Amino acid sequence: MLKVAVLVSGGGTNLQALLDSEARGENPHGKISLVVASKPGVYALERAKNAGVPGVVVRRKDYAAAEEFDKALLGVLKENGIDVVVLAGFLSILGESVIAAYPERILNVHPSLIPSFCGEGMYGLKVHEAALTKGVKVTGATVHFVNEVCDGGRIIAQKAVEVAEGDTPETLQRRVMEQAEWQLLPAALAKVCAEYDKG
């Protein structure tokens, strides 16, 4: 059974989807063993506590240099024997040392069909605002491995979601979460855990 860490920065809706999926027995090869938040007081930590999963806070601003933050984060992951890492709305960029420690074992969910509306500075509502400004009729979500390029790792899964007439960034964000992110991310994690467990 692989130990999974979920890294969060906010409310933790994707974390909840992962916890619910695990409770339904959909990831027999992995278990969420740690939740790491980028700041204290986020609701995702409450979700972790409710599920009996330990939660810790590693804040980028507590460290003078990005390398120190990476070292602290890596230390927490290693101390807890983590095998697979999931970025579920984690807003701090991971450095090379963290990525190198978990090659093709860090997953990220992005709220668009990569290569559209992705890369540095594209997160949260900004992605949906860009999709609406462009006038696309279809958007969606992508789960990909994390490498040194922002949103540039190998794609694991994608799901399309239709853009509705009169959508706001908020309504589109909600639909993409419900119809794509919350389904794709648990399935992709289960797939990666199964493959890595065999390996």
Side-chain angles (χ1 to χ4, degrees), residues 9 37-42 57-70 72-73 90-93:
S9 288
S38 63
K39 54 190 176 196
V42 296
V57 176
V58 183
R59 281 199 303 193
R60 169 67 185 90
K61 70 177 188 181
D62 290 341
Y63 302 92
E67 292 76 20
E68 290 174 32
F69 167 74
D70 291 335
L73 179 59
F90 190 66
L91 298 181
S92 296
I93 300 288

Side-chain angles (χ1 to χ4, degrees), residues 113 138-141 158-163 176 179-180 184:
L113 296 172
V138 176
T139 184
Q158 289 185 307
K159 189 167 191 288
V161 174
E162 284 191 20
V163 178
V176 169
Q179 294 182 12
L184 275 188

Side-chain angles (χ1 to χ4, degrees), residues 181-197:
E181 292 180 49
W182 298 345
Q183 296 168 29
L184 275 188
L185 188 56
L189 176 60
K191 182 183 175 197
V192 169
C193 286
E195 286 171 6
Y196 185 68
D197 212 18

